């Protein structure tokens, strides 16, 4: 008999990584040949939920990261982990297909055309049921279950059917599209009913919550008052909970002497330019990486910026590499980087340092500390944590953030240099304003944003959501 938990988190992935080398540390599960070593993966969500999970003897349900049979449930750092198996075929159809080639582009304003496949839809259903059944099995009577993100939108309704006694919350980390776009989804009513299985549906922004409420009325004729939808004799609340970062962690990193030294070294390695312009993104077509590269190229071509006085560093972390759109994006970005370096670089002095690699948290912090200007230019983004991390890392209060109006973060970081990434001239102007802003003004803007973040970190996000869920009768 499995131990039942009063608090359960359900997410596509478990918050752990398997340690495959002989690296010391990590918790060993099983014995002999079946021994496997695990380590908590870094990330805001797990940091925020860790204390709640430990205090409430919580369980986290998710995929372990390796295809095939799931490891036995185990405990790590006080959290119970319940792995859900995903086969190679599940990954191809449910994860890469329905989640990342259908729902992801559709929910991000169709910035790439979504691909619709019947067999992906079916796999999404089957896998969602598997997660719902795992949650139904581990949740104690009357437990609170918090389901995360677009890969698991059917889970709330499936779980409610299995366990009507539970209190169910759902949080969507990505945008929720307007009715006209959502209506393209072949599975639209099923997805909507899936979400309406929750008691509380959380979004990054108010607009997304409104889209959801209007959609329910449009598609199912559900009445609503304020942000409460009447559905099948129950009330479903839809509200905005803008996610944040572990501000303390980033500030500690940025304050660490080794990180500071590394930041100085990075600038030296870049040739001690006057202006270091930085981008850090998963290599994803929603992030507007090409748009910012083009803006930089045009500024160099016009002589408004020049190399080596200014230099751009673009970290593009490998992501979803088996999905076609991502392969095409990589080719486009790398062609643009090649073009800029070909036109404006010199031997030993590239104009763009392009890094298609993953880095440690401390190396990221060092990059944030080293950068005079951070460019965050998504075409659409639920929130964008990189923007918040840069602000948190700027202990000296200097530096400037160029931020797309289409990132959720733009709703809070109003002192950034905001721009419409579709308007190349607007991106160029914002970048030039950021490059030339005087130090006093830069500090003023940064300190206002830091103050906001200190009051709105990820722990507050989690507690706001859980408090509101707890208050629902
Ligand atoms: C989704 C939504 C929403 C990046 N490269 C490395 C690395 N990162 C870290 C960043 C940041 C995170 O990954 C990326 O978060 P974002 O928010 O920028 O973007 P998504 O991955 O698209 O996240 C987004 C978020 O969910 C949370 O709700 O904000 O809108 O799309 O923390 O620092 N971390 C390490 N090495 C890297 O190379 N260690």
């Amino acid at each position: 008999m499995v131990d039942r938990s009063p608090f359960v988190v359900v997410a596509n992935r478990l918050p752990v990584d398997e340690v495959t080398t002989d690296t010391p540390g990590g918790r060993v599960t099983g014995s002999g040949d079946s021994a496997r070593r695990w380590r908590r993966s870094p990330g805001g969500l797990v940091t925020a939920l860790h204390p709640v999970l430990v205090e409430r003897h919580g369980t986290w349900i998710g995929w372990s990261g390796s295809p095939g049979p799931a490891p036995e449930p185990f405990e790590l750092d006080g959290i119970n982990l319940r792995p859900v198996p995903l086969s190679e075929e599940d990954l191809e159809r449910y994860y890469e297909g329905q989640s990342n080639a259908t729902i992801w582009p559709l929910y991000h304003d169709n910035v790439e055309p979504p691909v619709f496949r019947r067999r992906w839809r079916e796999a999404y259903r089957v896998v969602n049921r598997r997660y719902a059944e795992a949650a139904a099995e581990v949740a104690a009577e009357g437990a609170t279950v918090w389901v995360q993100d677009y890969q698991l939108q059917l889970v709330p309704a499936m779980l409610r059917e299995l366990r009507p006694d539970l209190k169910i919350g759902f949080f969507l980390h990505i945008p929720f599209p307007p009715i006209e776009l959502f209506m393209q989804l072949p599975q639209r009513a099923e997805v909507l009913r899936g979400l309406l299985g929750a008691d509380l549906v959380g979004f990054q922004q108010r607009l997304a919550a409104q889209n959801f409420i209007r959609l329910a009325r449009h598609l199912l004729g559900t009445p609503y008052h304020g942000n409460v939808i009447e559905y099948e004799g129950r009330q479903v609340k839809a509200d905005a909970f803008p996610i944040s970062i572990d501000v303390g962690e980033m500030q500690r990193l940025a304050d660490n002497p080794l990180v500071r030294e590394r930041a100085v070294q990075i600038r030296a390695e870049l040739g001690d330019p006057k202006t270091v312009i930085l981008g850090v993104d998963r290599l994803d077509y929603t992030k507007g990486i090409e748009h910012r590269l083009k803006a930089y190229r045009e500024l160099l071509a016009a002589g408004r910026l020049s190399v080596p006085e200014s230099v751009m560093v673009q970290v593009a972390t490998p992501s979803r590499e088996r999905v076609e759109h991502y392969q095409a994006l990589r080719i486009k970005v790398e062609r643009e980087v090649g073009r800029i370096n070909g036109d404006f670089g010199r031997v030993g002095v590239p104009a763009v340092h392009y890094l298609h690699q993953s880095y440690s948290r401390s190396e990221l912090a060092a990059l944030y500390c080293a950068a005079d200007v951070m460019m965050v230019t998504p075409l659409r983004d639920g929130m964008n944590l990189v923007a918040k991390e840069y602000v948190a890392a700027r202990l000296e209060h200097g530096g400037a953030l160029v931020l797309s109006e289409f990132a959720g973060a733009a709703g809070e970081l109003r002192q950034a240099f905001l721009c419409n990434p579709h308007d190349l001239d607007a991106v160029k102007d914002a970048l030039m304003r950021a490059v030339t802003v005087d130090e006093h003004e830069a500090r003023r803007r940064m300190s206002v944003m830091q103050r906001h973040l200190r009051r709105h970190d990820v722990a507050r996000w989690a507690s706001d959501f859980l408090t509101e869920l707890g208050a629902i009768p």
Side-chain angles (χ1 to χ4, degrees):
M1 175 67 190
V2 205
D3 270 352
R4 301 263 201 124
S5 288
F7 180 58
V8 180
V9 172
V10 190
N12 173 60
R13 254 318 238 115
L14 286 174
V16 295
D17 291 315
E18 190 162 358
V19 182
T20 45
T21 59
D22 308 357
T23 335
R27 158 99 156 80
V28 180
T29 59
S31 57
D33 288 346
S34 66
R36 301 175 79 164
R37 201 184 280 273
W38 303 93
R39 189 187 300 144
R40 214 160 93 195
S41 47
L45 189 59
V46 56
T47 312
L49 295 179
H50 188 258
V52 193
L53 283 156
V54 172
E55 190 190 303
R56 303 201 201 173
H57 306 288
T59 298
W60 189 308
I61 294 172
W63 179 52
S64 70
S66 317
E72 286 300 308
F74 60 100
E75 192 235 289
L76 185 76
D77 299 345
I79 311 180
N80 302 308
L81 298 159
R82 164 71 154 80
V84 172
L86 290 181
S87 66
E88 280 288 358
E89 190 180 278
D90 293 332
L91 287 170
E92 187 195 320
R93 296 182 177 184
Y94 142 81
Y95 182 70
E96 288 163 358
Q98 187 67 14
S99 300
N100 287 322
T102 307
I103 296 168
W104 178 271
L106 186 77
Y107 282 29
H108 286 89
D109 285 355
N110 279 15
V111 293
E112 284 290 343
V115 181
F116 301 113
R117 296 254 190 288
R118 274 170 287 204
R119 58 174 188 278
W120 292 353
R121 240 169 278 160
E122 182 49 30
Y124 186 82
R125 206 171 279 138
V126 169
V127 170
N128 270 246
R129 185 160 298 282
R130 198 176 299 154
Y131 280 80
E133 282 168 357
E137 207 180 292
V138 305
E141 181 70 24
T144 295
V145 180
W146 193 1
V147 184
Q148 306 287 327
D149 226 359
Y150 65 104
Q151 303 93 348
L152 300 176
Q153 295 173 99
L154 305 180
V155 169
M158 289 172 167
L159 185 56
R160 181 164 299 281
E161 208 184 309
L162 295 166
R163 292 287 306 273
D165 59 297
L166 300 177
K167 191 165 270 192
I168 305 173
F170 180 92
F171 185 77
L172 186 70
H173 291 254
I174 68 174
F176 192 80
I179 296 178
E180 312 85 87
L181 282 180
F182 188 87
M183 292 303 280
Q184 291 182 9
L185 192 66
Q187 220 176 358
R188 60 198 186 189
E190 189 183 357
V191 168
L192 177 60
R193 287 185 192 281
L195 294 170
L196 287 167
D199 296 293
L200 175 62
V201 186
F203 299 91
Q204 302 275 25
Q205 288 186 274
R206 273 241 307 279
L207 195 66
Q210 284 164 4
N211 285 344
F212 177 72
I213 294 167
R214 286 197 200 112
L215 174 77
R217 176 164 182 97
H218 179 81
L219 203 55
L220 305 175
T222 50
Y224 66 91
H225 41 95
N227 58 355
V228 176
I229 302 170
E230 300 286 344
Y231 176 66
E232 295 188 336
R234 295 186 300 114
Q235 296 197 325
V236 181
K237 199 165 182 186
D239 216 341
F241 300 88
I243 201 168
S244 194
I245 57 163
D246 182 352
V247 177
E249 181 238 22
M250 186 45 73
Q251 292 193 331
R252 275 191 299 279
L253 278 173
D255 207 19
N256 180 323
L258 292 176
V259 171
R260 296 184 149 231
E261 233 169 76
R262 175 67 191 133
V264 173
Q265 193 186 10
I266 289 172
R267 287 191 75 100
E269 284 168 1
L270 292 170
D272 276 322
K274 190 161 154 263
T275 313
V276 175
I277 303 166
L278 176 66
V280 173
D281 312 79
R282 276 187 308 100
L283 185 49
D284 193 297
Y285 51 80
T286 59
K287 303 291 183 186
I289 301 170
E290 297 156 88
H291 300 65
R292 96 181 57 128
L293 286 169
K294 276 188 196 143
Y296 182 52
R297 169 162 58 74
E298 289 196 5
L299 289 171
L300 290 174
R304 292 171 72 190
L305 287 178
S306 62
V307 182
E309 286 77 31
S310 69
V311 55
M312 181 181 273
V313 177
Q314 176 64 55
V315 174
T317 311
S319 182
R320 304 173 190 168
E321 293 187 283
R322 298 200 302 192
V323 180
E324 230 174 272
H325 286 144
Y326 290 76
Q327 294 164 358
L329 172 75
R330 182 170 175 190
I331 292 169
K332 282 193 269 179
V333 166
E334 293 182 356
R335 189 182 298 145
E336 184 62 42
V337 169
R339 180 174 172 188
I340 299 174
N341 283 335
D343 287 349
F344 303 102
R346 287 205 321 262
V347 174
V349 191
V352 181
H353 295 249
Y354 169 73
L355 304 156
H356 183 245
Q357 295 164 42
S358 279
Y359 290 94
S360 64
R361 298 296 294 164
S362 51
E363 181 72 2
L364 277 190
L367 282 162
Y368 293 144
C369 292
D372 302 293
V373 176
M374 181 84 210
M375 290 199 81
V376 177
T377 55
L379 306 176
R380 177 61 74 189
D381 215 332
M383 176 53 61
N384 197 294
L385 299 181
V386 167
K388 292 189 170 180
E389 287 167 0
Y390 177 70
V391 171
R394 303 300 301 183
L395 291 173
E396 254 82 65
H397 298 311
L401 173 64
V402 173
L403 180 60
S404 160
E405 291 163 12
F406 299 103
E412 297 169 78
L413 305 179
R414 305 303 298 169
Q415 290 69 30
F417 294 89
L418 296 172
C419 64
N420 169 5
H422 298 280
D423 179 350
L424 209 54
D425 291 330
V427 180
K428 284 157 64 180
D429 286 347
L431 178 53
M432 284 315 294
R433 286 199 295 137
V435 169
T436 55
V437 65
D438 75 65
E439 211 178 305
H440 175 75
E441 174 65 4
R443 279 167 195 273
R444 189 192 64 78
R445 289 172 180 245
M446 205 48 90
S447 68
V448 176
M449 295 192 283
Q450 283 206 342
R451 214 174 314 133
H452 172 84
L453 281 190
R454 276 198 296 271
R455 284 198 304 258
H456 298 86
D457 75 348
V458 72
R460 162 137 180 215
W461 165 80
S463 92
D464 282 355
F465 185 95
L466 291 171
T467 306
E468 192 153 332
L469 181 58
I472 292 174

